[in-house]
Amino acid sequence: MKIKTYTKGYMKKFLLSIFVIISFAFYVFYNRTSGEVAYVEPAPTTTILPPTPTPTPTPPKTIPIPKPPVIPPPILPKNLYADGTFTGDSVDAYYGYVQVEAKITNGKIAEVNFLDYPSDRNTSRHINSVAMPRLRSEAIAAQSYKVNIVSGATDTSMAFRESLQSALSLAMS
Amino acid sequence: MKETRLLMGMGITVEISDSSATKEIFDEVFSYFKYVDEKFSTYKNTSEISRVNSGELSEEFWSKDMKEVFALAEETKKLTDGYFDIIRADGTYDPSGLVKGWAIFNAAEIIKRAGFENFYVEAGGDIEARGKNGDGEDWKVGIRDPFDKEKKIIVKVISVSDIGIATSGTYVLGQHIYNPHARDRRITEIVSFTVVGPNIYEADRFATAAFAMGREGIRFIENLPGFEGYMIDKDGIATETSGFKGYVLNNNL
């Protein structure tokens, strides 16, 4: 009886694995671009087998689940900062000041809020959407051309960084 | 001839490629920027804008420049469907989003009136470029990588003449950044918005407004005759208007 149960269990695992592999391959084939994480349900056919006292049931854990490529967020060392809310310095951003507060939860930056920000970015209303022309998109890539002049947002961004750094240095001390 | 000075909390660079350029014209241009700073700096108590905001100066006593800036702000607000607004949450005025481009344009006009044809004026990453560079070519302008902390990487190079280029943006670390005046709206989606227009005043005001619109901004610029835009989102994906490629120099990599 013991041997039979064992065999049955073995058989079940084998059938289950085969099914899982096939259904998974099927799933991947049809969902290649969906970007969703696959979770494969055990097949109904396997559930009609009587439950067996298998000592160590094997879940379909060996099947690798592909994930969509993710652009990793900046990684901060764990518990670099103390929990709490820290207010950075008010930094001159040209015609206005930028001041941020950083909220640290579990040693990580959970939120950064502007306390002060030049008001020209105030937004209140939605613009009416117009017919979308064809706009081209691409991933940015470094260029090595020699240039005369550089255009970029520097003022607010620099001030933001400075204010955040001072908030974080408080969190570190 | 080229000179950079630190004024108004930012670097201001003037380069004149005409061989007749003299020290005097540079002094004149930089003193103009100083004048603008004295008048429109919202954090100098003695500035005219601060006295307007404190109620000390009633409208009838405003200078010609103050009246002009307010009229331009009103016009820009209408053109941008309210996205460009110099009124702060507390009811005071902050015309800085307009004044910078306006001042660069006026500085360029000062240089032009002095008889020069080939030059650029750049202040805090916003540019008015006229004529040709020292090599007799159109000016080569690089758009900075908004993710590069060292501020060395260029992600796009455009070749321009008689044009204004402005970039509006915010540096992000991947956290949530809120507009303090509308805290429910994040402004993290777009990190850099460059607008090329007929002059820096026009480019700057529409870059500011387009940045505030988020992803909608690029459509706004696409539908604005005479303007092109290049927008970079938080994932490093750039979207450009249909005519922007006309300015782009091929990558030499």
Side-chain angles (χ1 to χ4, degrees):
Chain A
M1 187 62 190
K2 251 187 174 178
I3 292 163
K4 208 183 170 189
T5 308
Y6 177 76
T7 313
K8 252 187 175 176
Y10 197 80
M11 187 73 160
K12 179 194 163 188
K13 277 191 275 180
F14 179 74
L15 282 173
L16 186 71
S17 302
I18 291 291
F19 182 83
V20 163
I21 289 163
I22 289 168
S23 52
F24 177 73
F26 218 70
Y27 182 86
V28 166
F29 184 76
Y30 281 104
N31 293 277
R32 198 153 253 191
T33 54
S34 78
E36 282 172 28
V37 175
Y39 172 71
V40 183
E41 288 283 351
T45 46
T46 57
T47 55
I48 59 164
L49 289 170
T52 48
T54 313
T56 51
T58 315
K61 61 177 179 183
T62 53
I63 311 292
I65 296 175
K67 286 181 180 172
V70 183
I71 296 163
I75 296 160
L76 292 165
K78 275 186 179 176
N79 297 324
L80 180 63
Y81 308 118
D83 284 4
T85 300
F86 303 91
T87 303
D89 294 336
S90 185
V91 179
D92 182 352
Y94 170 64
Y95 283 129
Y97 283 95
V98 165
Q99 186 175 31
V100 300
E101 67 174 16
K103 284 183 183 167
I104 312 292
T105 309
N106 300 323
K108 288 177 183 170
I109 303 169
E111 206 176 299
V112 178
N113 293 323
F114 274 117
L115 301 177
D116 198 3
Y117 195 74
S119 68
D120 62 298
R121 269 110 194 182
N122 187 4
T123 66
S124 53
R125 288 197 281 152
H126 279 280
I127 186 170
N128 291 329
S129 292
V130 285
M132 182 69 169
R134 288 201 72 81
L135 301 169
R136 214 170 62 85
S137 287
E138 63 179 12
I140 57 168
Q143 312 280 296
S144 62
Y145 223 101
K146 194 164 173 277
V147 299
N148 301 118
I149 329 162
V150 174
S151 183
T154 52
D155 317 311
T156 312
S157 52
M158 285 303 291
F160 166 73
R161 223 178 304 162
E162 277 178 47
S163 186
L164 179 64
Q165 272 168 6
S166 63
L168 294 180
S169 65
L170 285 173
M172 285 174 84
S173 55
Chain B
M1 239 180 133
K2 182 177 171 179
E3 191 174 338
T4 299
R5 289 191 201 173
L6 280 171
L7 275 168
M8 307 196 265
M10 63 183 171
I12 300 178
T13 301
V14 176
E15 180 173 350
I16 303 176
S17 41
D18 293 284
S19 55
S20 52
T22 57
K23 180 96 180 66
E24 285 70 42
I25 185 65
F26 286 88
D27 289 340
E28 194 181 340
V29 168
F30 286 116
S31 54
Y32 173 71
F33 278 108
K34 210 172 171 196
Y35 158 82
V36 171
D37 192 31
E38 301 290 332
K39 198 166 271 292
F40 291 100
S41 170
T42 50
Y43 51 96
K44 280 191 172 130
N45 292 334
T46 53
S47 72
E48 186 177 343
I49 188 68
S50 291
R51 297 196 305 145
V52 167
N53 279 332
S54 68
E56 187 188 324
L57 206 62
S58 58
E59 203 171 331
E60 57 197 289
F61 297 110
W62 290 5
S63 66
K64 188 174 159 286
D65 280 340
M66 187 61 67
K67 282 176 184 161
E68 185 180 334
V69 163
F70 269 74
L72 293 170
E74 191 56 37
E75 182 209 34
T76 308
K77 188 177 176 177
K78 283 182 188 143
L79 286 173
T80 59
D81 201 18
Y83 270 96
F84 190 103
D85 198 341
I86 65 166
I87 300 171
R88 289 166 163 166
D90 63 2
T92 62
Y93 299 98
D94 178 7
S96 59
L98 190 96
V99 164
K100 187 173 157 190
W102 176 79
I104 297 170
F105 178 75
N106 290 340
E109 288 295 296
I110 289 170
I111 301 171
K112 184 189 163 191
R113 279 199 298 273
F116 302 104
E117 290 172 349
N118 303 292
F119 60 87
Y120 74 81
V121 180
E122 180 263 333
D126 292 345
I127 302 150
E128 173 84 7
R130 307 260 181 108
K132 308 285 180 188
N133 67 16
D135 299 326
E137 301 168 337
D138 284 355
W139 295 97
K140 308 288 181 290
V141 180
I143 296 171
R144 179 175 292 136
D145 179 352
F147 303 100
D148 174 32
K149 289 177 188 175
E150 307 294 316
K151 300 203 295 176
K152 285 177 182 165
I153 300 174
I154 299 295
V155 293
K156 202 52 109 180
V157 182
I158 56 176
S159 182
V160 294
S161 181
D162 301 326
I163 223 118
I165 303 127
T167 299
S168 198
T170 299
Y171 178 81
V172 285
L173 291 169
Q175 290 85 23
H176 305 315
I177 299 166
Y178 298 90
N179 181 328
H181 307 294
R183 282 183 173 268
D184 56 324
R185 269 200 69 178
R186 289 176 197 170
I187 53 169
T188 49
E189 211 180 355
I190 303 305
V191 295
S192 175
F193 206 120
T194 300
V195 169
V196 182
N199 62 55
I200 183 55
Y201 164 68
E202 297 288 353
D204 185 35
R205 62 176 180 164
F206 287 117
T208 302
F211 179 77
M213 291 173 193
R215 288 194 185 280
E216 290 294 315
I218 198 75
R219 299 189 202 192
F220 175 76
I221 299 299
E222 175 71 19
N223 287 286
L224 205 59
F227 292 81
E228 300 300 337
Y230 185 79
M231 170 181 97
I232 303 171
D233 74 11
K234 60 178 178 12
D235 299 320
I237 302 298
T239 304
E240 61 185 49
T241 56
S242 53
F244 186 78
K245 60 179 178 291
Y247 293 113
V248 175
L249 276 178
N250 287 330
N251 189 5
N252 65 339
L253 287 173

